[in-house]
Amino acid sequence: MYLRITNWKCKERISNEIGEEFWKLSPHENVARMRLKLEPQLYPNKHENAANLRDNATSAYDTKEISEFDSTIKNAVVRDFLADDESSQLEEELRQLIDTQSQQDTALEKLVMSQDCELITLMTKVKGRIEVNQSVFTFVDMSPPLEDGSKHDFRFSINKIREVHLRKYNLRRSALEIFLIDQTSYFLNFTTKTRNKVFTKIVGLPLPNILYGSGRSPPELLRASGLTQRWVNREISNFEYLMYLNTIAGRSYNDLSQYPVFPWILADYTSDVLDLTDPRSFRDLSKPIGCINPKNEAEVRGKYDSFEDPSGAIPKFHYGTHYSNSAGVLHYLLRVEPFTSLHVELQSGRFDVADRQFHSIPQTWKLLMDNPNDVKELIPEFFYFPEFLKNMNKFDLGHLQITKEKVDDVILPAWATTPEEFIAIHRRALESEYVSQHLHHWIDLIFGYKQKGAKAVEALNVFYYCSYEGAVDLDKITNPIEREAVEGMINNFGQVPSQLLREPHPRRLTQDETAVKLLRSELKRPDLTQFLDKVVQYYCELSTPKDPIVYLSPPRSPPRSFLQLSPDVLVSVSKGCILGCNSWMSFDKEQGFLLEIDATTTNLKNRKRIFGPFHPSQPPHSQNFAVSTDGKLLYAGGIWDNALRVYSLNKGKTLASVTRHLDIITCLALDNCGSYLVTGSRDCTCIVWSIQGNQQSAAPPNNIPVHALTGQSHLQAITQLNTQNSYSPKPLTVLYGHDDAVSSVAVYTELDLVVSGSLDGTVNVYTLQEGQFVRTLKPIGCTESCVQISYVTVSYHGHIAFSALDDTSHSVHVYSINGASLGSKYVSGRVTGLATASDYLVVADDAGDITMSRLHGLKPVFDIPLHVPIQTVVVTPGNTHILAPLRDGRLAVVAVQLPLAGSKKHSVLNV
């Protein structure tokens, strides 16, 4: 048997040898495009020499107005650089290519394309070549190796491609950005002549998981997406909408000069308590950051009115700096590698002077208000990543000149005591009612109709012309030295996003307006976390007291055609191992929600039973089962022979059985992508399994991500291990580190994260891809000698929540993805289920209580006593419902109460 065996002590040895730990930002991001995770840095650089070289020289790019390259740029001014019909031309080329390919029988491995290009990584261009065939996309790094011998080569299956976007690089339409189903992305720069050909070749391939690969312009893409209306209807959050706008407009984590831009939203950084109901706590979102202070408005207007370029080539402008550029991003992310190294590089090998560094949030806001030439907006990390406010790597950032105060962690507003608390409050402020009602004004300035033209002049929102798309054509600059200088200027000065709207952006509905539309059934059922004061419970008969449901899956969407409307599958397993495939619809205009029980569960002749047999010491429970994302397969543990079983949900028959553990499987968990399964066992280990081929064999899902594993040599050997049939999961990695049976596991592929809890009272955190042990978490306030972990779960934000019990109490604990404790609390009974809904934790216990608390701080927001022991708990997609099977056979359904006209019931059970 060939498996990767992770040495969980490796990281501990490295830490002990060097005496301290060093961290860098991981490129993994979650579904909301948050880069949350730090990973160990094996070859750290403390930049001691950069600290020694620190002096008081003026920063080259921070707030200096650019004029050095004017003469060069004037010769490259282009007013009609971008062809209006480029998008339609691309669409036509794509249609022709698809028609041609459909008539040809192309060999699977035939090379489709080979093209020289540059891989863009933050501020670095890596020369290389892409090679694409019918199954694999490869980038070959043709630059010299780095100091540690590493290269930027990568390869992935084309089945992993989710989106392909046309991008600008240095104001030229020459780049592509490719997004994969595991949230990985690559930014590739070509020439303006070859980019469109490459794009057409890629999206013309048979890409089973492609969601977007069109030549549409950014405004057309926004209109077609329907995202604006979803935001107006409060179906997506303010953060999510801003990230979508940034992505569509070409902003990228891969290019610092086009980094995602977010607004300053608060004006109060001094009060002890931040009042999110007081409009005075917020910044005026209808004005650019440079003239929010009325004292600056006259100066900004006067600068525009008085500017005259003798040559006539440079238009008037209000600001000679930009709200988003490379130096500004590095200013904020100074404490986090790899941005620390890039900051030192930008400052010619030294740290900038301490007084010019980002050392205080209140002070930064004050300086913005006093100086109309400093117009930096925020970056997304201000709303999700507390670690960028900590000097975790202990860099020597110097001392302030006047106070001699050492610059270390960022000084927070008075209303936040920790970076985690600042992020939590700041995120709530972003989602507050005031920001929801005014955010469209800021969108008009950055992405909309006030970005350019007369409306921009009127709004005091005109920037130096070289930051606008179409202003410069680098291809017209023949002198390589001049060209490099202009590229450097553009790269460091900043670029305006693509304009998405040419008319005013609509306002978001208020909560009251949303409630009225919901009452009229004009909107789908809402996210219950947005209407916590209107939450109620309903009951449905699901089973019997003699055979209650012990496992309930999240609703799964079976493969269906684009126009087909059919219920989701809600899979249930009873105490007696009776399998049910129930129909579920979370929204119905007439009835609220629909649940149709699988009729075979009550038919002695036709009912489907899972035959284990299960080990007598491991009766069926909620953590023994998982359902594939396409709703076709059931994975089960707890079997007497230590096997992992795969069952057909349609027939209830065994499809595969694989034994790799040395003792009984006690728990298992499936990732959101349908790519990986993790099992825990009484043998004290966990195993990561690949299931990426199983669902394809059962029935190819429609737009269901199927993670294709490539580029790791150990995987090729593993794929030959299980030859029983195509349904057999493939074991990849064994995870060690526990001293007793593993009791619960969780996996989050997008964040490269596996978490396991054990009866030894510890929670271990590992990486998914490499199986590297990262850290151990322990419950706070428990008796260490007899504490046990019962459940673990991971939120989309990377929060790790787990329940514990000792000789005197039951408790719940939450840690951040990077190991910071966010809260602990006691609960009334033995925990029987944990689930997350947005930024909240749902806890079910055998005392019959469902509680919902904020993940940060575990402050309760509601407690619903059901008075009957709860078997498990499930949150439906979109957080529309909480489903809790009860020991008496009923199903409790928690949802927003929406009284409908007439006497019709809000919910109905169709049997």
Side-chain angles (χ1 to χ4, degrees), residues 860-896:
V861 294
F862 69 66
D863 184 349
I864 299 179
L866 303 179
H867 308 295
V868 179
I870 302 169
Q871 301 289 85
T872 185
V873 67
V874 172
V875 176
T876 61
N879 305 322
T880 58
H881 300 80
I882 298 173
L883 308 179
L886 306 180
R887 193 173 295 174
D888 63 6
R890 293 180 298 165
L891 175 68
V893 181
V894 179
V896 175

mmCIF file of all heavy atoms in Angstrom, residues 860-896:
data_model
loop_
_atom_site.group_PDB
_atom_site.id
_atom_site.type_symbol
_atom_site.label_atom_id
_atom_site.label_comp_id
_atom_site.label_asym_id
_atom_site.label_seq_id
_atom_site.Cartn_x
_atom_site.Cartn_y
_atom_site.Cartn_z
ATOM 1 N N PRO A 860 -24.807 34.786 22.230
ATOM 2 C CA PRO A 860 -26.030 34.164 21.689
ATOM 3 C C PRO A 860 -26.946 35.191 21.032
ATOM 4 O O PRO A 860 -27.063 36.328 21.496
ATOM 5 C CB PRO A 860 -26.682 33.543 22.923
ATOM 6 C CG PRO A 860 -26.150 34.313 24.083
ATOM 7 C CD PRO A 860 -24.760 34.740 23.703
ATOM 8 N N VAL A 861 -27.577 34.783 19.936
ATOM 9 C CA VAL A 861 -28.556 35.647 19.276
ATOM 10 C C VAL A 861 -29.963 35.063 19.369
ATOM 11 O O VAL A 861 -30.943 35.798 19.285
ATOM 12 C CB VAL A 861 -28.170 35.891 17.805
ATOM 13 C CG1 VAL A 861 -26.887 36.696 17.700
ATOM 14 C CG2 VAL A 861 -28.023 34.581 17.037
ATOM 15 N N PHE A 862 -30.087 33.728 19.515
ATOM 16 C CA PHE A 862 -31.385 33.164 19.874
ATOM 17 C C PHE A 862 -31.188 31.769 20.449
ATOM 18 O O PHE A 862 -30.191 31.091 20.222
ATOM 19 C CB PHE A 862 -32.383 33.154 18.713
ATOM 20 C CG PHE A 862 -32.085 32.207 17.584
ATOM 21 C CD1 PHE A 862 -32.099 30.822 17.741
ATOM 22 C CD2 PHE A 862 -31.838 32.697 16.316
ATOM 23 C CE1 PHE A 862 -31.858 29.961 16.701
ATOM 24 C CE2 PHE A 862 -31.590 31.835 15.256
ATOM 25 C CZ PHE A 862 -31.600 30.466 15.458
ATOM 26 N N ASP A 863 -32.177 31.342 21.214
ATOM 27 C CA ASP A 863 -32.194 30.015 21.843
ATOM 28 C C ASP A 863 -33.606 29.477 21.686
ATOM 29 O O ASP A 863 -34.566 30.069 22.187
ATOM 30 C CB ASP A 863 -31.806 30.116 23.318
ATOM 31 C CG ASP A 863 -31.722 28.741 23.988
ATOM 32 O OD1 ASP A 863 -32.163 27.759 23.379
ATOM 33 O OD2 ASP A 863 -31.209 28.665 25.123
ATOM 34 N N ILE A 864 -33.753 28.363 20.972
ATOM 35 C CA ILE A 864 -35.071 27.778 20.728
ATOM 36 C C ILE A 864 -35.175 26.465 21.489
ATOM 37 O O ILE A 864 -34.506 25.480 21.138
ATOM 38 C CB ILE A 864 -35.312 27.544 19.231
ATOM 39 C CG1 ILE A 864 -35.266 28.874 18.476
ATOM 40 C CG2 ILE A 864 -36.644 26.844 19.001
ATOM 41 C CD1 ILE A 864 -35.469 28.731 16.981
ATOM 42 N N PRO A 865 -35.966 26.414 22.560
ATOM 43 C CA PRO A 865 -36.154 25.148 23.287
ATOM 44 C C PRO A 865 -37.180 24.267 22.575
ATOM 45 O O PRO A 865 -38.323 24.666 22.381
ATOM 46 C CB PRO A 865 -36.669 25.618 24.651
ATOM 47 C CG PRO A 865 -37.327 26.936 24.387
ATOM 48 C CD PRO A 865 -36.650 27.546 23.207
ATOM 49 N N LEU A 866 -36.772 23.077 22.173
ATOM 50 C CA LEU A 866 -37.675 22.142 21.496
ATOM 51 C C LEU A 866 -38.208 21.083 22.453
ATOM 52 O O LEU A 866 -39.133 20.340 22.106
ATOM 53 C CB LEU A 866 -36.956 21.469 20.320
ATOM 54 C CG LEU A 866 -36.375 22.416 19.261
ATOM 55 C CD1 LEU A 866 -35.668 21.618 18.168
ATOM 56 C CD2 LEU A 866 -37.449 23.297 18.663
ATOM 57 N N HIS A 867 -37.584 20.978 23.640
ATOM 58 C CA HIS A 867 -38.061 20.111 24.724
ATOM 59 C C HIS A 867 -37.971 18.621 24.396
ATOM 60 O O HIS A 867 -38.509 17.793 25.144
ATOM 61 C CB HIS A 867 -39.506 20.461 25.107
ATOM 62 C CG HIS A 867 -39.702 21.916 25.395
ATOM 63 N ND1 HIS A 867 -39.086 22.553 26.457
ATOM 64 C CD2 HIS A 867 -40.425 22.873 24.745
ATOM 65 C CE1 HIS A 867 -39.434 23.825 26.460
ATOM 66 N NE2 HIS A 867 -40.238 24.047 25.436
ATOM 67 N N VAL A 868 -37.326 18.278 23.291
ATOM 68 C CA VAL A 868 -37.112 16.879 22.915
ATOM 69 C C VAL A 868 -35.653 16.750 22.493
ATOM 70 O O VAL A 868 -35.155 17.615 21.773
ATOM 71 C CB VAL A 868 -38.039 16.459 21.747
ATOM 72 C CG1 VAL A 868 -37.776 14.996 21.357
ATOM 73 C CG2 VAL A 868 -39.497 16.651 22.122
ATOM 74 N N PRO A 869 -34.970 15.691 22.935
ATOM 75 C CA PRO A 869 -33.569 15.526 22.517
ATOM 76 C C PRO A 869 -33.412 15.601 21.004
ATOM 77 O O PRO A 869 -34.201 15.027 20.246
ATOM 78 C CB PRO A 869 -33.196 14.150 23.063
ATOM 79 C CG PRO A 869 -34.092 13.957 24.234
ATOM 80 C CD PRO A 869 -35.391 14.621 23.867
ATOM 81 N N ILE A 870 -32.369 16.314 20.562
ATOM 82 C CA ILE A 870 -32.105 16.522 19.135
ATOM 83 C C ILE A 870 -31.041 15.523 18.685
ATOM 84 O O ILE A 870 -30.035 15.326 19.360
ATOM 85 C CB ILE A 870 -31.652 17.969 18.886
ATOM 86 C CG1 ILE A 870 -32.733 18.956 19.372
ATOM 87 C CG2 ILE A 870 -31.354 18.202 17.407
ATOM 88 C CD1 ILE A 870 -32.266 20.387 19.420
ATOM 89 N N GLN A 871 -31.259 14.912 17.538
ATOM 90 C CA GLN A 871 -30.345 13.890 17.026
ATOM 91 C C GLN A 871 -29.139 14.495 16.297
ATOM 92 O O GLN A 871 -28.017 14.023 16.418
ATOM 93 C CB GLN A 871 -31.093 12.956 16.076
ATOM 94 C CG GLN A 871 -32.290 12.230 16.689
ATOM 95 C CD GLN A 871 -31.859 11.155 17.670
ATOM 96 O OE1 GLN A 871 -31.625 11.422 18.844
ATOM 97 N NE2 GLN A 871 -31.733 9.941 17.180
ATOM 98 N N THR A 872 -29.400 15.508 15.485
ATOM 99 C CA THR A 872 -28.339 16.197 14.738
ATOM 100 C C THR A 872 -28.913 17.510 14.231
ATOM 101 O O THR A 872 -30.098 17.806 14.466
ATOM 102 C CB THR A 872 -27.833 15.325 13.560
ATOM 103 O OG1 THR A 872 -26.731 15.979 12.929
ATOM 104 C CG2 THR A 872 -28.923 15.085 12.534
ATOM 105 N N VAL A 873 -28.102 18.317 13.542
ATOM 106 C CA VAL A 873 -28.581 19.598 13.034
ATOM 107 C C VAL A 873 -27.918 19.878 11.694
ATOM 108 O O VAL A 873 -26.747 19.553 11.467
ATOM 109 C CB VAL A 873 -28.302 20.744 14.042
ATOM 110 C CG1 VAL A 873 -26.805 21.007 14.181
ATOM 111 C CG2 VAL A 873 -29.040 22.019 13.658
ATOM 112 N N VAL A 874 -28.710 20.457 10.769
ATOM 113 C CA VAL A 874 -28.241 20.756 9.414
ATOM 114 C C VAL A 874 -28.716 22.152 9.043
ATOM 115 O O VAL A 874 -29.859 22.522 9.328
ATOM 116 C CB VAL A 874 -28.795 19.726 8.389
ATOM 117 C CG1 VAL A 874 -28.468 20.151 6.966
ATOM 118 C CG2 VAL A 874 -28.240 18.343 8.672
ATOM 119 N N VAL A 875 -27.838 22.946 8.401
ATOM 120 C CA VAL A 875 -28.213 24.250 7.850
ATOM 121 C C VAL A 875 -28.286 24.118 6.339
ATOM 122 O O VAL A 875 -27.358 23.628 5.701
ATOM 123 C CB VAL A 875 -27.194 25.337 8.245
ATOM 124 C CG1 VAL A 875 -27.549 26.669 7.595
ATOM 125 C CG2 VAL A 875 -27.134 25.491 9.758
ATOM 126 N N THR A 876 -29.400 24.534 5.740
ATOM 127 C CA THR A 876 -29.584 24.400 4.299
ATOM 128 C C THR A 876 -28.805 25.484 3.556
ATOM 129 O O THR A 876 -28.472 26.526 4.125
ATOM 130 C CB THR A 876 -31.074 24.506 3.930
ATOM 131 O OG1 THR A 876 -31.560 25.798 4.335
ATOM 132 C CG2 THR A 876 -31.886 23.425 4.619
ATOM 133 N N PRO A 877 -28.491 25.262 2.272
ATOM 134 C CA PRO A 877 -27.778 26.276 1.488
ATOM 135 C C PRO A 877 -28.513 27.616 1.501
ATOM 136 O O PRO A 877 -29.739 27.672 1.442
ATOM 137 C CB PRO A 877 -27.759 25.664 0.074
ATOM 138 C CG PRO A 877 -27.839 24.194 0.301
ATOM 139 C CD PRO A 877 -28.703 24.015 1.512
ATOM 140 N N GLY A 878 -27.722 28.697 1.584
ATOM 141 C CA GLY A 878 -28.315 30.022 1.679
ATOM 142 C C GLY A 878 -28.798 30.360 3.067
ATOM 143 O O GLY A 878 -29.394 31.416 3.275
ATOM 144 N N ASN A 879 -28.581 29.451 4.026
ATOM 145 C CA ASN A 879 -28.995 29.661 5.418
ATOM 146 C C ASN A 879 -30.493 29.938 5.526
ATOM 147 O O ASN A 879 -30.940 30.726 6.365
ATOM 148 C CB ASN A 879 -28.219 30.831 6.048
ATOM 149 C CG ASN A 879 -26.725 30.659 5.941
ATOM 150 O OD1 ASN A 879 -26.214 29.553 6.067
ATOM 151 N ND2 ASN A 879 -26.023 31.754 5.695
ATOM 152 N N THR A 880 -31.290 29.271 4.678
ATOM 153 C CA THR A 880 -32.730 29.519 4.691
ATOM 154 C C THR A 880 -33.434 28.764 5.810
ATOM 155 O O THR A 880 -34.457 29.236 6.328
ATOM 156 C CB THR A 880 -33.360 29.112 3.349
ATOM 157 O OG1 THR A 880 -33.074 27.722 3.103
ATOM 158 C CG2 THR A 880 -32.791 29.951 2.217
ATOM 159 N N HIS A 881 -32.908 27.600 6.188
ATOM 160 C CA HIS A 881 -33.551 26.773 7.208
ATOM 161 C C HIS A 881 -32.506 26.082 8.083
ATOM 162 O O HIS A 881 -31.403 25.799 7.624
ATOM 163 C CB HIS A 881 -34.434 25.682 6.589
ATOM 164 C CG HIS A 881 -35.557 26.197 5.738
ATOM 165 N ND1 HIS A 881 -35.361 26.604 4.428
ATOM 166 C CD2 HIS A 881 -36.875 26.366 6.005
ATOM 167 C CE1 HIS A 881 -36.529 27.000 3.928
ATOM 168 N NE2 HIS A 881 -37.454 26.861 4.861
ATOM 169 N N ILE A 882 -32.909 25.805 9.312
ATOM 170 C CA ILE A 882 -32.168 24.890 10.177
ATOM 171 C C ILE A 882 -33.045 23.662 10.365
ATOM 172 O O ILE A 882 -34.210 23.777 10.765
ATOM 173 C CB ILE A 882 -31.845 25.534 11.540
ATOM 174 C CG1 ILE A 882 -30.957 26.767 11.350
ATOM 175 C CG2 ILE A 882 -31.167 24.528 12.468
ATOM 176 C CD1 ILE A 882 -30.734 27.562 12.633
ATOM 177 N N LEU A 883 -32.496 22.489 10.050
ATOM 178 C CA LEU A 883 -33.257 21.237 10.148
ATOM 179 C C LEU A 883 -32.700 20.413 11.294
ATOM 180 O O LEU A 883 -31.491 20.174 11.370
ATOM 181 C CB LEU A 883 -33.152 20.450 8.839
ATOM 182 C CG LEU A 883 -33.504 21.210 7.551
ATOM 183 C CD1 LEU A 883 -33.329 20.302 6.344
ATOM 184 C CD2 LEU A 883 -34.924 21.761 7.611
ATOM 185 N N ALA A 884 -33.585 19.968 12.186
ATOM 186 C CA ALA A 884 -33.144 19.216 13.365
ATOM 187 C C ALA A 884 -34.058 18.016 13.594
ATOM 188 O O ALA A 884 -35.175 18.166 14.103
ATOM 189 C CB ALA A 884 -33.153 20.127 14.594
ATOM 190 N N PRO A 885 -33.624 16.809 13.225
ATOM 191 C CA PRO A 885 -34.404 15.600 13.546
ATOM 192 C C PRO A 885 -34.444 15.385 15.063
ATOM 193 O O PRO A 885 -33.419 15.512 15.742
ATOM 194 C CB PRO A 885 -33.623 14.478 12.854
ATOM 195 C CG PRO A 885 -32.720 15.157 11.880
ATOM 196 C CD PRO A 885 -32.417 16.493 12.458
ATOM 197 N N LEU A 886 -35.616 15.047 15.575
ATOM 198 C CA LEU A 886 -35.800 14.860 17.015
ATOM 199 C C LEU A 886 -35.906 13.374 17.344
ATOM 200 O O LEU A 886 -36.233 12.544 16.479
ATOM 201 C CB LEU A 886 -37.055 15.598 17.480
ATOM 202 C CG LEU A 886 -37.137 17.085 17.130
ATOM 203 C CD1 LEU A 886 -38.441 17.684 17.659
ATOM 204 C CD2 LEU A 886 -35.941 17.839 17.666
ATOM 205 N N ARG A 887 -35.676 13.052 18.599
ATOM 206 C CA ARG A 887 -35.700 11.655 19.027
ATOM 207 C C ARG A 887 -37.107 11.066 18.961
ATOM 208 O O ARG A 887 -37.280 9.849 18.892
ATOM 209 C CB ARG A 887 -35.140 11.527 20.443
ATOM 210 C CG ARG A 887 -34.838 10.086 20.855
ATOM 211 C CD ARG A 887 -34.133 10.015 22.183
ATOM 212 N NE ARG A 887 -32.790 10.623 22.115
ATOM 213 C CZ ARG A 887 -32.008 10.795 23.173
ATOM 214 N NH1 ARG A 887 -32.434 10.423 24.384
ATOM 215 N NH2 ARG A 887 -30.816 11.344 23.025
ATOM 216 N N ASP A 888 -38.138 11.901 18.949
ATOM 217 C CA ASP A 888 -39.509 11.378 18.873
ATOM 218 C C ASP A 888 -39.969 11.165 17.435
ATOM 219 O O ASP A 888 -41.147 10.888 17.185
ATOM 220 C CB ASP A 888 -40.480 12.313 19.605
ATOM 221 C CG ASP A 888 -40.563 13.707 18.976
ATOM 222 O OD1 ASP A 888 -39.958 13.915 17.899
ATOM 223 O OD2 ASP A 888 -41.212 14.593 19.568
ATOM 224 N N GLY A 889 -39.047 11.313 16.470
ATOM 225 C CA GLY A 889 -39.383 11.034 15.077
ATOM 226 C C GLY A 889 -39.764 12.244 14.267
ATOM 227 O O GLY A 889 -39.864 12.167 13.033
ATOM 228 N N ARG A 890 -39.982 13.382 14.894
ATOM 229 C CA ARG A 890 -40.346 14.590 14.151
ATOM 230 C C ARG A 890 -39.107 15.316 13.616
ATOM 231 O O ARG A 890 -37.989 15.082 14.066
ATOM 232 C CB ARG A 890 -41.141 15.546 15.044
ATOM 233 C CG ARG A 890 -42.520 15.047 15.458
ATOM 234 C CD ARG A 890 -43.213 16.073 16.331
ATOM 235 N NE ARG A 890 -42.466 16.318 17.566
ATOM 236 C CZ ARG A 890 -42.669 17.361 18.378
ATOM 237 N NH1 ARG A 890 -43.586 18.266 18.065
ATOM 238 N NH2 ARG A 890 -41.957 17.497 19.481
ATOM 239 N N LEU A 891 -39.348 16.215 12.669
ATOM 240 C CA LEU A 891 -38.311 17.102 12.163
ATOM 241 C C LEU A 891 -38.677 18.525 12.550
ATOM 242 O O LEU A 891 -39.761 19.008 12.202
ATOM 243 C CB LEU A 891 -38.197 16.991 10.637
ATOM 244 C CG LEU A 891 -37.214 17.962 9.968
ATOM 245 C CD1 LEU A 891 -35.777 17.624 10.341
ATOM 246 C CD2 LEU A 891 -37.391 17.967 8.445
ATOM 247 N N ALA A 892 -37.787 19.193 13.275
ATOM 248 C CA ALA A 892 -37.978 20.604 13.592
ATOM 249 C C ALA A 892 -37.336 21.433 12.490
ATOM 250 O O ALA A 892 -36.190 21.201 12.106
ATOM 251 C CB ALA A 892 -37.354 20.938 14.937
ATOM 252 N N VAL A 893 -38.086 22.398 11.969
ATOM 253 C CA VAL A 893 -37.613 23.275 10.902
ATOM 254 C C VAL A 893 -37.639 24.704 11.416
ATOM 255 O O VAL A 893 -38.704 25.229 11.776
ATOM 256 C CB VAL A 893 -38.494 23.154 9.636
ATOM 257 C CG1 VAL A 893 -37.964 24.061 8.527
ATOM 258 C CG2 VAL A 893 -38.554 21.712 9.164
ATOM 259 N N VAL A 894 -36.477 25.326 11.475
ATOM 260 C CA VAL A 894 -36.366 26.712 11.941
ATOM 261 C C VAL A 894 -36.187 27.607 10.721
ATOM 262 O O VAL A 894 -35.320 27.359 9.877
ATOM 263 C CB VAL A 894 -35.173 26.877 12.900
ATOM 264 C CG1 VAL A 894 -35.043 28.329 13.358
ATOM 265 C CG2 VAL A 894 -35.323 25.950 14.099
ATOM 266 N N ALA A 895 -37.027 28.637 10.616
ATOM 267 C CA ALA A 895 -36.977 29.524 9.451
ATOM 268 C C ALA A 895 -37.532 30.888 9.838
ATOM 269 O O ALA A 895 -38.028 31.086 10.948
ATOM 270 C CB ALA A 895 -37.778 28.928 8.292
ATOM 271 N N VAL A 896 -37.447 31.824 8.901
ATOM 272 C CA VAL A 896 -38.009 33.156 9.121
ATOM 273 C C VAL A 896 -39.521 33.066 8.997
ATOM 274 O O VAL A 896 -40.051 32.487 8.042
ATOM 275 C CB VAL A 896 -37.450 34.159 8.099
ATOM 276 C CG1 VAL A 896 -38.120 35.518 8.255
ATOM 277 C CG2 VAL A 896 -35.942 34.294 8.274
#
